[in-house]
Amino acid sequence: MIIKRLIFKKMLSSGSFAEFVIVKNEGRYEAALYINGKYIPGPSIPRPLQPPKDDITHWMGNRPSVGLTQGEAERILEDVSFENAVLDHRRKRNWET
């Protein structure tokens, strides 16, 4: 897993510091969660929280997991989608030449 860039940082209610980053894993981009600099395994994109709690609609990470607002989840999904679209475009362009 290679870190490409930071999406955003978030201070958690526990006082921990969460960083959501874009990483390249097996030839594709995905999101990853780090808490206080330590990688937290879990889903590679935000997952819906069922049922939502107040303004928290999504989550990432497994033990601990971090709640995300709709806007935060959308930002992660859009950034990952954009990076993969650029990657696909470059691959297609290189294949055509």
Side-chain angles (χ1 to χ4, degrees):
M1 178 168 34
I2 300 168
I3 296 175
K4 177 161 186 180
R5 67 179 173 85
L6 176 71
I7 302 171
F8 66 88
K9 300 176 185 181
K10 181 176 183 172
M11 180 63 79
L12 305 178
S13 61
S14 66
S16 296
F17 194 62
E19 294 177 296
F20 297 87
V21 298
I22 292 184
V23 297
K24 192 169 187 182
N25 191 21
E26 297 182 12
R28 299 297 291 171
Y29 288 105
E30 56 189 43
L33 169 63
Y34 286 79
I35 296 181
N36 295 332
K38 181 181 176 196
Y39 170 70
I40 305 298
S44 60
I45 57 172
R47 298 288 187 223
L49 183 62
Q50 297 296 335
K53 183 174 169 121
D54 300 324
D55 64 339
I56 303 300
T57 61
H58 291 75
W59 63 275
M60 280 188 72
N62 287 324
R63 295 191 180 129
S65 59
V66 175
L68 299 163
T69 64
Q70 182 70 32
E72 291 168 336
E74 287 173 2
R75 181 170 177 192
I76 292 169
L77 292 168
E78 287 171 2
D79 283 10
V80 169
S81 178
F82 174 79
E83 293 294 343
N84 281 316
V86 169
L87 185 64
D88 291 342
H89 176 76
R90 287 182 180 160
R91 285 180 178 157
K92 181 180 177 187
R93 185 173 167 194
N94 288 338
W95 186 76
E96 290 175 351
T97 59

